[in-house]
Amino acid sequence: MTREQFYQIAENWFHKQNWKPFQFQTQTWTAFLQGKNGLLNAPTGSGKTYALWFPIVLNYIKENPEYKTKHKPGLKAIWITPLRALSVEIKQAAERVATDLGTQMTVGIRSGDTTTSERTKQKNKMPDLLITTPESLQLLLATKEYAKTFANCTAIVIDEWHELLGTKRGVQMELALSRLKTIAPKMRIWGISATIGNLELAQEVLLGNNSDAFKNSVLIKANINKKITVKSIIPEKMETFPWRGHMGLHLIADVAKIIRKSKTTLIFTNTRSQCELWFQVLLEKYPEFAGEMAMHHGSIARETRVWVENAIKNEELKVVVCTSSLDLGVDFAPVETIIQIGGPKGVARFLQRAGRSGHQPGKESVIYFVATHAMELIEASALKKAAAETIVEDRIPYLNSYDVLIQYLNTLAVSDGFFPDEIYQEVKKTFCFQNLSIENWHWILNFITHGSQSLQAYDEYKKVEIDENGLYKINSRTIAMHHRMQIGTIVSDANLNVKFLSGGYIGSIEEWFVSKLTRGDTFTFGGKKLEFYAIKNMNVLVRKADAKKVSKTVSWMGGRMTLSAQMSELLREELYAANNENLTPELKALKPIFDRQRRESIVPNTNEFLIETFKTREGFHAIFYPFEGRFVHEALASILSYRITLLSPISFSLAYNDYGFELLSDQEIDMQAVFDNNLFSSEFVHHDLQKSLNATEMARRKFRDIAVIAGLVFTGMPGKPIKTKHLQSGSQLLFEVFRDYEPENLLLQQAYIETFEHQLEEGRLLQSLERINKQEIVWKQCEKPTPFSFPIITDRLREKLTSETLADRIAKMTASYMK
């Protein structure tokens, strides 16, 4: 059968669906059938899934001319998805192609949700086409004789590669692929990505920049102009618009109007707490939505989430309030409208969410932006520009993630064992470990066999044994069992299951939130008002609470996000544009606030860096505006306050948000001394960061995750997780041992590197300081807080006061200011 005949089969199938193949789809078919690897970049909802399922099935037909009568069972292709929720959708697409083309190929799913019986069935007979997750792929590598399972596999597709790139799950995939290239020589490697800036680098990381797979690869970009319409919800009276965030609830009436006009609406929130709150308030204010509205986030029971996803597809729901749990790939064709509550902090995230509506080729995506406070309208204006010009962020890959490498080596040792020289050559061809020295490799081998220099006296850290042939193998059944239970790179605080006293699972919440509850306390979770009863066997037992009772909304750690570097740059451009005549609708709406800001201070231009100082009953305030995101501002505030204290003794309270940071003191800062001593210098930043922030404490917290991934601490048996405080104390003890007796320990060094590079964004911090040094510093001595400073001040108050007290305090501050 010729290539043209293969294409005819595919095109006939598309014709039956009333579709026409896009050029990027036929390009992908050609490249795949030529034996090439590659990365496919195409917008959400454009048919990327069929671009690769078709050549996979066609290749099987090509290699098996008698495919209709003689089926050869065995694993032929693997589809990796970062989210288990996407598996069913991908399986349906694969079954559709395999069945319609007359093959006898079977399709299966393997993830954390797969039953034990199904896993056993797969062990005896793998499906032809397997949909799985990065973690489940590692578990397959941890099984005996895994090489036989993958030997005849001809393809692996990593879906939503942009979600894995720049994470340790991505590193996990790099290592798995390095092994599969050896044991499955016919395997083609393909990635699929929608929203990413640095595509060429993404391709290198996926395939290994110095590997044969990369040399025989292509990058295919879809030339499809996906129309995305961004509509900002702007209040009629700007004077009533809050100057800081109130979760966006002041615009709930406008949101309700949009919901009523649309067949189906997804309301995206940035955090699970915000999701819970919006669902509750919408239900209270608009009871007519009851029965037509649902909630979806990662902590809600899986059965509930699956029901919600199916209800959207079947048009049984009018509105769903959700988080990033619905960001990716599930085909929600009926969704007409997307609403984003608050700044999404990143362009890619925003475009990904916009693509949930009009999730079909050629359809327009409509997204409404609900600013939670006035300044976020600048973000809305910036996002409109980004959507129009398709500006998206780069994803920065990890380098030298030794914890993931140690976990991977233990995985190989649990199954059939490994010979170090062979694996070293494979690992060196990955992007993450391209610079792995032979000295560090030997250190890692010593670590898994002897527990490193300072742990050699403890048998529990001697996991891997070396036989007489030099094979590295884990022989202990207990160690093997513990390792298989802990495969993965996502480390979070212990989650406890929430169950009714009468039976029935609701979802899971974090241990730290439960620890603050006493019997009788009421909290809202999963759209229900619940009364806390007790914790038993790591389950949070609850009963339905009185609907009239005041309750707190469940919250999770890590809710704060920061502006991406790309988003920060776009934000600054829009802010500077506020001084021009041709303003966007969002900037026009902000004119009253900009006018008030100019009366008290200035709206900075491109070449200006603004500092404001004023005095209130709280003390002396100094506000700085780099517009670089809260993580960078946290580091900048710490460095600057440290440098000022070197000039004269002074104490500060620090506050920061995405726009700037505040130094508050009971004595006035000598600003002239700050300028004269060049305290914004980019020199000695690393040293000053270590001194100003408790870098050791931050590294200690980071080390907990590294210790879990590397298998130094065990997180517990299923249903009986070890408490977070015990995990923390165990990892802290190891941290202190390494710090005091083995400072060259690679995992210890990794903790510090990740603290500075990933948490404090040291590289971005340096760029920010370099930019400030090129700008003219404008110091404005103000009479009272300005519109720009107001959100920063109230963010600090939020950390100190309860929400009720905070609302009263803000109301008083606003009233006082408006006089």
Side-chain angles (χ1 to χ4, degrees):
M1 197 180 285
T2 65
R3 187 181 300 157
E4 286 70 27
Q5 288 172 312
F6 286 127
Y7 287 174
Q8 195 60 54
I9 291 171
E11 287 174 2
N12 287 345
W13 185 88
F14 269 72
H15 182 69
K16 285 178 183 176
Q17 322 301 319
N18 293 318
W19 299 343
K20 184 181 178 183
F22 285 114
Q23 186 180 7
F24 80 84
Q25 290 172 320
T26 57
Q27 285 177 325
T28 306
W29 300 345
T30 301
F32 186 94
L33 292 170
Q34 287 174 344
K36 291 187 180 297
N37 309 290
L39 178 64
L40 169 61
N41 169 243
T44 297
S46 60
K48 300 187 296 294
T49 308
Y50 291 116
L52 277 156
W53 271 139
F54 255 101
I56 287 169
V57 176
L58 289 173
N59 187 64
Y60 170 71
I61 293 171
K62 176 185 170 186
E63 292 185 353
N64 300 275
E66 299 178 341
Y67 68 95
K68 289 190 177 181
T69 55
K70 291 185 180 179
H71 176 65
K72 294 181 180 178
L75 187 61
K76 296 168 184 62
I78 305 164
W79 193 287
I80 302 291
T81 170
L83 286 182
R84 286 177 287 181
L86 307 182
S87 301
V88 175
E89 201 75 39
I90 298 162
K91 181 175 185 277
Q92 289 170 350
E95 286 175 332
R96 200 172 174 188
V97 175
T99 303
D100 288 356
L101 297 191
T103 73
Q104 299 173 54
M105 300 174 89
T106 56
V107 186
I109 295 173
R110 190 182 181 97
S111 70
D113 295 329
T114 306
T115 61
T116 305
S117 60
E118 181 64 22
R119 286 171 189 267
T120 305
K121 187 178 168 185
Q122 289 177 357
K123 188 177 181 181
N124 297 326
K125 185 182 178 182
M126 287 293 283
D128 297 298
L129 308 175
L130 179 69
I131 295 112
T132 189
T133 61
E135 294 77 14
S136 291
L137 179 63
Q138 292 285 326
L139 279 167
L140 285 173
L141 290 174
T143 57
K144 306 293 182 187
E145 298 185 330
Y146 67 87
K148 289 182 181 178
T149 302
F150 296 103
N152 296 312
C153 194
T154 58
I156 184 166
V157 178
I158 296 87
D159 206 350
E160 309 285 2
W161 175 234
H162 57 279
E163 285 296 318
L164 295 173
L165 183 64
T167 70
K168 289 188 179 181
R169 295 179 87 201
V171 177
Q172 204 176 31
M173 274 312 308
E174 288 184 64
L175 289 168
L177 290 172
S178 74
R179 185 87 275 255
L180 292 174
K181 287 171 193 172
T182 301
I183 62 176
K186 294 180 182 177
M187 181 180 283
R188 301 158 176 83
I189 301 167
W190 279 81
I192 300 178
S193 179
T195 46
I196 193 169
N198 50 340
L199 278 168
E200 287 77 11
L201 181 60
Q203 182 185 0
E204 281 186 49
V205 178
L206 175 70
L207 300 169
N209 57 332
N210 58 352
S211 69
D212 293 336
F214 178 65
K215 293 169 188 171
N216 181 36
S217 69
V218 292
L219 174 60
I220 296 175
K221 299 180 186 179
N223 187 21
I224 298 174
N225 292 320
K226 174 74 172 172
K227 188 177 181 186
I228 297 177
T229 300
V230 181
K231 298 180 179 180
S232 300
I233 300 178
I234 298 171
E236 292 180 13
K237 291 186 178 181
M238 201 62 201
E239 290 75 14
T240 62
F241 207 40
W243 289 359
R244 77 154 321 282
H246 288 274
M247 305 295 266
L249 294 170
H250 52 282
L251 291 172
I252 199 164
D254 298 87
V255 170
K257 286 178 190 173
I258 296 167
I259 292 170
R260 291 192 185 102
K261 288 178 184 176
S262 297
K263 186 164 43 177
T264 309
T265 302
L266 296 184
I267 301 176
F268 277 104
T269 59
N270 289 332
T271 64
R272 286 168 284 183
S273 300
Q274 193 179 28
C275 178
E276 293 271 352
L277 187 63
W278 262 86
F279 179 84
Q280 203 63 36
V281 176
L282 271 171
L283 208 54
E284 287 170 4
K285 286 187 176 289
Y286 304 97
E288 66 267 28
F289 291 152
E292 294 186 302
M293 183 168 70
M295 187 191 334
H296 191 291
H297 62 67
S299 292
I300 293 173
R302 176 182 172 270
E303 292 73 16
T304 306
R305 283 184 277 126
V306 170
W307 177 84
V308 171
E309 290 160 18
N310 290 330
I312 298 170
K313 291 179 210 171
N314 299 331
E315 301 183 47
E316 295 168 7
L317 288 171
K318 191 168 184 64
V319 56
V320 176
V321 188
C322 56
T323 62
S324 55
S325 59
L326 285 185
D327 271 8
L328 303 179
V330 184
D331 186 6
F332 295 142
V335 174
E336 282 186 2
T337 305
I338 303 295
I339 300 173
Q340 168 67 42
I341 307 294
K345 308 304 177 188
V347 179
R349 186 181 294 113
F350 185 71
L351 297 182
Q352 191 82 40
R353 291 175 175 181
R356 297 295 92 218
S357 78
H359 194 257
Q360 287 176 312
K363 291 286 181 74
E364 177 188 10
S365 294
V366 179
I367 183 165
Y368 288 85
F369 185 96
V370 177
T372 61
H373 60 87
M375 293 289 280
E376 276 191 339
L377 279 176
I378 306 174
E379 288 184 49
S381 184
L383 287 164
K384 268 190 177 178
K385 181 179 178 181
E389 300 177 13
T390 321
I391 301 168
V392 290
E393 288 90 359
D394 294 343
R395 299 290 175 109
I396 308 303
Y398 269 81
L399 290 172
N400 298 323
S401 291
Y402 298 121
D403 53 344
V404 185
L405 179 55
I406 288 168
Q407 184 187 98
Y408 170 70
L409 293 179
N410 285 331
T411 295
L412 298 182
V414 157
S415 53
D416 299 327
F418 68 90
F419 291 103
D421 291 348
E422 179 187 10
I423 300 302
Y424 178 63
Q425 294 306 319
E426 292 175 4
V427 167
K428 278 278 287 182
K429 289 180 181 176
T430 65
F431 188 91
C432 184
F433 300 103
Q434 58 186 299
N435 297 317
L436 178 65
S437 69
I438 194 69
E439 293 78 19
N440 285 351
W441 174 248
H442 285 147
W443 186 93
I444 289 167
L445 293 176
N446 184 70
F447 184 85
I448 61 176
T449 53
H450 298 103
S452 86
Q453 176 188 326
S454 52
L455 299 177
Q456 290 189 19
Y458 303 94
D459 289 341
E460 64 190 284
Y461 299 109
K462 299 174 183 177
K463 297 185 177 183
V464 180
E465 299 173 24
I466 311 170
D467 71 11
E468 65 275 8
N469 297 316
L471 182 75
Y472 281 57
K473 189 91 167 61
I474 288 178
N475 295 314
S476 164
R477 291 183 64 183
T478 303
I479 291 173
M481 179 182 66
H482 284 184
H483 176 74
R484 287 191 177 100
M485 285 179 182
Q486 207 162 295
I487 283 178
T489 61
I490 300 173
V491 182
S492 61
D493 284 332
N495 283 319
L496 305 182
N497 292 334
V498 182
K499 293 184 175 181
F500 284 116
L501 275 167
S502 56
Y505 172 62
I506 305 165
S508 60
I509 58 180
E510 289 178 0
E511 181 188 315
W512 77 273
F513 178 80
V514 182
S515 67
K516 297 179 179 180
L517 300 176
T518 56
R519 182 175 290 196
D521 282 355
T522 305
F523 64 97
T524 302
F525 174 56
K528 301 175 178 69
K529 277 194 174 179
L530 306 170
E531 183 183 309
F532 174 66
Y533 179 75
I535 296 176
K536 189 175 181 182
N537 297 328
M538 300 303 282
N539 291 319
V540 181
L541 301 180
V542 299
R543 51 191 167 204
K544 285 186 179 178
D546 184 345
K548 296 177 182 178
K549 228 178 172 184
V550 176
S551 66
K552 58 180 79 175
T553 301
V554 67
S555 57
W556 286 261
M557 295 289 278
R560 298 268 185 168
M561 296 192 295
T562 186
L563 289 176
S564 67
Q566 185 74 63
M567 194 66 223
S568 296
E569 190 175 338
L570 287 165
L571 179 77
R572 287 193 298 272
E573 287 175 9
E574 289 305 295
L575 177 70
Y576 301 148
N579 292 305
N580 301 334
E581 291 183 5
N582 298 322
L583 300 178
T584 63
E586 291 80 9
L587 296 182
K588 279 181 184 174
L590 283 170
K591 191 174 183 303
I593 289 175
F594 285 142
D595 288 344
R596 188 175 288 275
Q597 171 70 20
R598 289 187 184 99
R599 284 201 295 273
E600 297 290 329
S601 176
I602 64 162
V603 175
N605 284 311
T606 310
N607 62 343
E608 293 175 327
F609 176 64
L610 175 62
I611 301 172
E612 294 175 346
T613 56
F614 48 85
K615 186 177 183 297
T616 68
R617 63 192 178 98
E618 292 182 295
F620 294 89
H621 304 256
I623 316 281
F624 304 79
Y625 299 97
F627 297 96
E628 193 63 71
R630 68 180 303 114
F631 290 174
V632 174
H633 294 161
E634 179 183 1
L636 267 174
S638 299
I639 284 178
L640 192 60
S641 59
Y642 167 72
R643 288 174 174 178
I644 292 172
T645 58
L646 295 179
L647 299 179
S648 60
I650 187 171
S651 297
F652 293 110
S653 291
L654 310 182
Y656 25 79
N657 67 6
D658 281 321
Y659 309 119
F661 61 92
E662 174 197 46
L663 305 185
L664 172 64
S665 178
D666 59 359
Q667 55 183 295
E668 193 169 3
I669 300 173
D670 185 348
M671 292 303 296
Q672 197 55 54
V674 171
F675 307 143
D676 292 344
N677 286 278
N678 192 22
L679 295 195
F680 291 104
S681 170
S682 57
E683 290 187 67
F684 309 112
V685 162
H686 189 78
H687 171 271
D688 291 352
L689 263 180
Q690 286 180 307
K691 292 287 186 182
S692 60
L693 281 163
N694 191 340
T696 299
E697 183 56 39
M698 295 177 81
R700 184 183 278 114
R701 290 200 296 269
K702 182 67 71 176
F703 183 79
R704 186 205 73 162
D705 295 358
I706 290 170
V708 168
I709 293 168
L712 275 171
V713 292
F714 181 53
T715 53
M717 304 294 284
K720 294 183 179 179
I722 291 173
K723 287 190 174 183
T724 305
K725 62 181 179 182
H726 294 157
L727 270 184
Q728 193 68 38
S729 60
S731 62
Q732 280 187 11
L733 180 62
L734 289 168
F735 179 89
E736 286 159 10
V737 168
F738 294 154
R739 184 193 60 192
D740 296 339
Y741 300 104
E742 195 183 340
E744 72 282 0
N745 185 293
L746 293 183
L747 296 180
L748 179 72
Q749 292 176 12
Q750 184 184 337
Y752 281 100
I753 289 168
E754 288 186 11
T755 296
F756 286 107
E757 290 185 2
H758 296 279
Q759 189 169 338
L760 295 173
E761 298 190 84
E762 188 177 359
R764 193 170 156 194
L765 170 64
L766 282 165
Q767 289 178 337
S768 178
L769 284 169
E770 286 167 5
R771 189 184 71 251
I772 290 169
N773 278 307
K774 292 175 184 174
Q775 294 175 312
E776 176 192 351
I777 295 177
V778 179
W779 172 29
K780 286 291 179 180
Q781 295 169 285
C782 307
E783 294 295 318
K784 53 188 173 182
T786 65
F788 280 15
S789 69
F790 198 83
I792 303 172
I793 294 171
T794 50
D795 243 25
R796 170 169 48 75
L797 292 175
R798 177 176 287 280
E799 302 297 327
K800 294 182 179 180
L801 306 171
T802 65
S803 56
E804 292 82 11
T805 310
L806 176 65
D808 294 341
R809 185 72 184 274
I810 289 174
K812 288 176 186 174
M813 287 174 68
T814 307
S816 169
Y817 186 83
M818 298 298 281
K819 285 179 183 176

